[in-house]
Amino acid sequence: MAIPKKIRGVLSPVLTPFNTDYSVAKERFVEHCRTLLDCNVGLAIFGTNSEANSLSASEKMGLMDLLVENGVPADRMMPGTGCCSISDSIELTRHAVGLGCAGTLMLPPFFYKGVSDEGLYRNYATIIDAVASEQLRIYLYHIPHVTQVGITYGLIERLLRDYPGNIAGIKDSSGDWNNTLGMLEQFQPHGFDVFAGSEPFLLQTMRHGGAGCISATANVNAHAISHLYDTWQEESADRQQAALNVVRAAFQKFPMIPAMKSAIAAHRQDPEWSTLRPPLVELTEEQSRQLQEALAAISFKPNTPRPF
Amino acid sequence: MAIPKKIRGVLSPVLTPFNTDYSVAKERFVEHCRTLLDCNVGLAIFGTNSEANSLSASEKMGLMDLLVENGVPADRMMPGTGCCSISDSIELTRHAVGLGCAGTLMLPPFFYKGVSDEGLYRNYATIIDAVASEQLRIYLYHIPHVTQVGITYGLIERLLRDYPGNIAGIKDSSGDWNNTLGMLEQFQPHGFDVFAGSEPFLLQTMRHGGAGCISATANVNAHAISHLYDTWQEESADRQQAALNVVRAAFQKFPMIPAMKSAIAAHRQDPEWSTLRPPLVELTEEQSRQLQEALAAISFKPNTPRPF
């Protein structure tokens, strides 16, 4: 099998809709994925904003299969496959590679704190050796405020040296532009694709040679974020970035995952969309009302095309 | 089925031995469990020191079955069944109850930080409702320095009120005696069994009406810890507690899990025993040597009976 071009651009950690009994709402999930694809947003299913760690490994494999069976192209999918358990990580990663996914986004194991780079290296190296496929492209996932376990430059360097074909890039959700910039300068020139962890950093990332962004807000503002990616070299780019930031800020006043689910539920008049698996909880009624007001004030409707 | 007496005393978060290819070393696991049982130490398999979160749900269910098939009494087992994913937690808990386990030790979901008590309540309530068994006894697991997600008194109160038959107790690994003492005073009188999270707090816990301890070090110092539990009202108790603390301190100079595995490997002349799954790593040769010296200096050998 020929190795396809690497995925770039805008991806979304796809929200996972649940029924009120906490089972996955499969039809809503497929439909939401199609909406994102229509906006040219790739599918980073099983990210932080997907409540991925609230799903079992078998649920995740079932959902990957469901998408492919429903005609979603695997080469637009970058499932999260990094778990605490290396056996889960291997099984999920192998499954994703078997389906032909564009890549996998891999958290470090995050239960133990204060672990060594040697331990994290062994985690990734063992997975790569076990999956043993040229098709495997791993995107490291650096989100230290959640995991408390970060991806250091030293770890990237060692992995890139030993597995240049499999270590494909990173999502930097540190929120620290200097960290992203350092990676863009040190690793992007070696073909290691740096994705901003959210769209407020998209334009800067593109201007420094990066690969795009993987952002929560792409679940609701897919068109506009994707448009900035397509036109970042045009004169309108700074104005577009500013407009994206306004939408992001409106959501960030609330817990992000419940807020995005609430906005979609309201927009679709489908209250069940707002369901989250424990330990997350939905917005209160008052918070939902405030969010609706804030979105109305900026004339924002989820994933509705507007003039740019 | 009659509801049996609640498990009390000393339990160990049983170390999980691995082969060098990181598969579980099943024979060593069964043998280690038998050693602990011979010392009257109960089996809190799949605890923090078991590298439980480095095992998949299916591996854990397979190991529970393995023990039962090998004649290990389920009423001496308290498997850890609390996962990030509520679907995993339900499946594991149901499996443990089906085997007749004495209880399950349940971490809160630990990926998301800053979650609400409402979200944690829903996690436990959903699991209890789904398993729907009078045989289910949940021991909450409070280990905030690792999970970053703690169990508050308010959460315990609400769970005890709504599920008095299923919420059986807690392991307090906060390391904060005042937190344990508060639970002993507030909840133990209602039949909520408070276990100290390590044996340095065993004697104090017993003197305040607690249920025992669930301690890492019981993997290596099983006889002596168990003996203190049996004789805590005798004159020798303070002296025994002091002796236990000396052994604990020797191990705590090193990362605990690698140190205990190293000590057992050396004692059994079985180097493979020292293997850990990533992201944990074994002691360096120098650390192993230092540990051996420290243990020799206090004439300590893992799980070897000595005069008390």
Side-chain angles (χ1 to χ4, degrees):
Chain A
M1 206 182 339
I3 308 281
K5 242 179 92 177
K6 286 170 79 176
I7 193 168
R8 305 194 91 198
V10 177
L11 291 95
S12 170
V14 182
L15 291 168
T16 308
F18 295 106
N19 300 306
T20 46
D21 68 356
Y22 301 136
S23 59
V24 178
K26 294 182 182 176
E27 284 183 28
R28 290 188 187 92
F29 182 60
V30 174
E31 188 187 13
H32 185 52
C33 285
R34 289 202 174 118
T35 301
L36 298 177
L37 287 176
D38 287 346
C39 303
N40 200 25
V41 164
L43 306 175
I45 54 172
F46 316 144
T48 301
N49 285 271
S50 314
E51 300 171 70
N53 287 298
S54 304
L55 299 166
S56 69
S58 60
E59 285 177 319
K60 287 182 226 184
M61 288 188 284
L63 291 175
M64 284 191 235
D65 293 343
L66 176 78
L67 293 182
V68 171
E69 285 159 13
N70 277 273
V72 171
D75 66 1
R76 297 292 291 149
M77 285 162 56
M78 187 195 284
T81 64
C83 304
C84 288
S85 155
I86 199 166
S87 35
D88 280 333
S89 300
I90 290 170
E91 190 178 19
L92 280 171
T93 304
R94 191 177 277 146
H95 198 84
V97 169
L99 290 174
C101 290
T104 66
L105 187 56
M106 294 195 59
L107 286 170
F110 53 84
F111 179 68
Y112 294 107
K113 309 303 185 287
V115 297
S116 64
D117 269 8
E118 170 65 21
L120 295 178
Y121 174 84
R122 287 187 196 179
N123 173 71
Y124 288 111
T126 304
I127 295 165
I128 295 169
D129 291 342
V131 175
S133 168
E134 286 186 358
Q135 313 290 328
L136 170 60
R137 284 178 176 160
I138 290 179
Y139 295 84
L140 305 170
Y141 188 4
H142 180 54
I143 182 167
H145 63 288
V146 180
T147 53
Q148 316 277 319
V149 176
I151 310 285
T152 65
Y153 285 30
L155 176 61
I156 297 171
E157 207 159 26
R158 189 171 166 201
L159 284 168
L160 263 181
R161 189 192 63 209
D162 294 350
Y163 299 99
N166 298 118
I167 297 295
I170 196 162
K171 173 182 182 187
D172 181 11
S173 293
S174 66
D176 173 2
W177 169 247
N178 286 327
N179 190 60
T180 312
L181 184 61
M183 289 177 178
L184 285 163
E185 289 173 350
Q186 191 167 338
F187 302 115
Q188 183 70 59
H190 302 285
F192 177 85
D193 276 344
V194 177
F195 288 88
S198 60
E199 81 280 9
F201 298 106
L202 175 57
L203 187 53
Q204 282 169 289
T205 297
M206 296 315 297
R207 283 178 176 160
H208 288 85
C213 74
I214 304 176
S215 176
T217 340
N219 275 289
V220 286
N221 201 16
H223 283 96
I225 302 174
S226 183
H227 187 71
L228 174 56
Y229 177 79
D230 290 338
T231 61
W232 68 270
Q233 285 167 306
E234 295 181 12
E235 209 180 313
S236 65
D238 284 293
R239 186 172 47 75
Q240 286 186 62
Q241 180 68 68
L244 295 185
N245 295 355
V246 169
V247 174
R248 175 92 182 177
F251 280 95
Q252 274 189 322
K253 279 181 205 139
F254 305 90
M256 276 295 280
I257 311 175
M260 292 189 294
K261 286 192 157 182
S262 169
I264 293 175
H267 181 61
R268 291 181 177 263
Q269 300 184 291
D270 177 2
E272 207 165 3
W273 236 109
S274 60
T275 309
L276 297 110
R277 271 198 180 174
L280 301 187
V281 298
E282 65 285 352
L283 297 190
T284 63
E285 279 184 34
E286 174 61 15
Q287 285 176 317
S288 290
R289 202 186 50 71
Q290 289 170 353
L291 173 64
Q292 283 310 306
E293 283 178 9
L295 298 182
I298 56 172
S299 306
F300 178 84
K301 289 179 181 171
N303 298 329
T304 304
R306 335 187 254 175
F308 294 109
Chain B
M1 207 185 333
I3 309 281
K5 243 180 90 179
K6 288 170 77 178
I7 192 169
R8 306 194 90 198
V10 177
L11 291 94
S12 170
V14 182
L15 290 168
T16 309
F18 295 106
N19 300 307
T20 47
D21 68 358
Y22 300 136
S23 60
V24 178
K26 294 181 181 177
E27 283 184 29
R28 288 188 188 91
F29 182 59
V30 174
E31 188 187 15
H32 185 52
C33 285
R34 288 202 175 118
T35 301
L36 298 177
L37 287 176
D38 287 347
C39 304
N40 200 25
V41 164
L43 307 176
I45 54 172
F46 316 144
T48 300
N49 285 271
S50 314
E51 300 172 71
N53 287 297
S54 304
L55 300 167
S56 69
S58 60
E59 285 176 321
K60 286 181 227 185
M61 288 187 285
L63 291 175
M64 283 190 236
D65 293 343
L66 176 77
L67 292 182
V68 171
E69 285 158 13
N70 277 273
V72 171
D75 65 2
R76 297 293 292 149
M77 286 162 55
M78 187 195 285
T81 64
C83 305
C84 287
S85 156
I86 199 165
S87 35
D88 279 334
S89 300
I90 290 170
E91 190 179 17
L92 280 171
T93 304
R94 192 177 276 146
H95 198 85
V97 168
L99 290 174
C101 290
T104 66
L105 187 56
M106 294 195 60
L107 285 171
F110 54 83
F111 179 68
Y112 295 107
K113 308 306 185 285
V115 296
S116 64
D117 270 7
E118 170 64 22
L120 295 178
Y121 173 84
R122 288 187 195 178
N123 173 71
Y124 288 111
T126 304
I127 295 164
I128 295 169
D129 291 342
V131 175
S133 168
E134 286 187 357
Q135 313 290 329
L136 170 59
R137 284 178 176 159
I138 290 179
Y139 295 84
L140 305 170
Y141 188 5
H142 180 54
I143 182 168
H145 63 287
V146 180
T147 54
Q148 316 277 320
V149 176
I151 310 285
T152 65
Y153 286 29
L155 176 61
I156 296 170
E157 207 159 24
R158 191 173 164 199
L159 284 168
L160 262 183
R161 189 193 61 207
D162 294 350
Y163 299 100
N166 298 118
I167 297 296
I170 196 161
K171 174 183 181 186
D172 182 10
S173 293
S174 66
D176 171 3
W177 170 246
N178 285 327
N179 190 61
T180 311
L181 184 60
M183 289 176 178
L184 285 163
E185 289 172 349
Q186 191 168 337
F187 302 115
Q188 182 72 57
H190 303 285
F192 177 86
D193 276 344
V194 176
F195 287 88
S198 61
E199 80 281 8
F201 298 106
L202 175 56
L203 188 52
Q204 282 169 288
T205 297
M206 296 315 297
R207 284 177 175 162
H208 288 83
C213 74
I214 304 176
S215 177
T217 339
N219 274 289
V220 286
N221 200 16
H223 282 97
I225 300 174
S226 184
H227 187 72
L228 174 55
Y229 177 79
D230 290 339
T231 60
W232 68 270
Q233 287 167 303
E234 295 181 11
E235 209 182 314
S236 65
D238 285 293
R239 187 172 46 75
Q240 287 186 61
Q241 180 68 67
L244 296 185
N245 295 354
V246 169
V247 174
R248 175 93 183 179
F251 280 95
Q252 275 190 321
K253 280 183 206 141
F254 306 89
M256 276 294 282
I257 310 175
M260 291 189 295
K261 285 191 157 181
S262 169
I264 293 176
H267 181 60
R268 292 180 176 265
Q269 300 184 291
D270 178 2
E272 206 166 4
W273 235 109
S274 61
T275 309
L276 297 110
R277 273 199 179 173
L280 301 187
V281 298
E282 65 285 352
L283 297 189
T284 63
E285 279 184 35
E286 174 61 14
Q287 285 175 317
S288 290
R289 201 186 50 71
Q290 288 170 353
L291 173 65
Q292 283 310 307
E293 284 178 8
L295 297 181
I298 56 171
S299 306
F300 178 82
K301 290 180 182 171
N303 298 329
T304 305
R306 335 186 253 174
F308 296 108

